[in-house]
Amino acid sequence: MAKVRTSYHCGLDAAVDVVGGKWKPLILWALHDGTHRFGELKRHVAGVSEKMLIQQLRELEADGVVHREVYREVPPRVEYSLTELGEALNTALLPLGEWGAAYTEQILANKRANSVV
């Protein structure tokens, strides 16, 4: 069981705790345009395994940024959406995405130039 944090050193520490990792920002971004079912999210977040997507969604739900709605029907249907907190987090991540888009080529060039074969 993961250790529950009781304090943070600063706001960035809290934010990185919630959004840290490779997949969480991509999941949040996939949800920016509305509610999605699990299969839709898996297609939007290319490369994520089913196990990892489930784990990351559970963590985001526990942190209060993703809402999971279970519909009691046959077959069962589960939908994921952003909470108000999740929408605010996505808004905060927008400049980071814009920075990445603006400097993608330079980042890739630097990685190629510094790669060890």
Side-chain angles (χ1 to χ4, degrees):
M1 177 173 245
K3 185 177 179 180
V4 176
R5 291 192 65 163
T6 57
S7 66
Y8 294 103
H9 299 293
C10 65
L12 188 58
D13 188 21
V16 169
D17 185 40
V18 172
V19 77
K22 178 177 182 178
W23 303 111
K24 287 181 183 178
L26 300 175
I27 293 167
L28 291 170
W29 188 249
L31 290 170
H32 85 281
D33 61 351
T35 302
H36 291 287
R37 294 177 72 174
F38 183 84
E40 294 172 321
L41 282 175
K42 186 149 178 11
R43 283 189 296 277
H44 277 81
V45 184
V48 68
S49 70
E50 192 167 307
K51 178 183 175 185
M52 183 57 68
L53 182 56
I54 291 168
Q55 178 184 337
Q56 299 291 279
L57 283 166
R58 286 183 182 156
E59 290 177 15
L60 289 166
E61 183 181 7
D63 286 331
V65 295
V66 167
H67 173 71
R68 180 177 184 259
E69 184 73 33
V70 179
Y71 295 91
R72 306 284 181 211
E73 55 189 40
V74 178
R77 180 171 50 121
V78 179
E79 294 181 340
Y80 296 90
S81 60
L82 293 175
T83 62
E84 189 175 320
L85 188 62
E87 290 175 11
L89 181 55
N90 248 5
T91 300
L93 290 173
L94 183 60
L96 186 60
E98 291 170 348
W99 178 87
Y103 294 103
T104 297
E105 290 305 316
Q106 185 175 344
I107 293 166
L108 290 171
N110 290 342
K111 288 191 178 294
R112 283 190 298 269
N114 294 309
S115 67
V116 178
V117 179

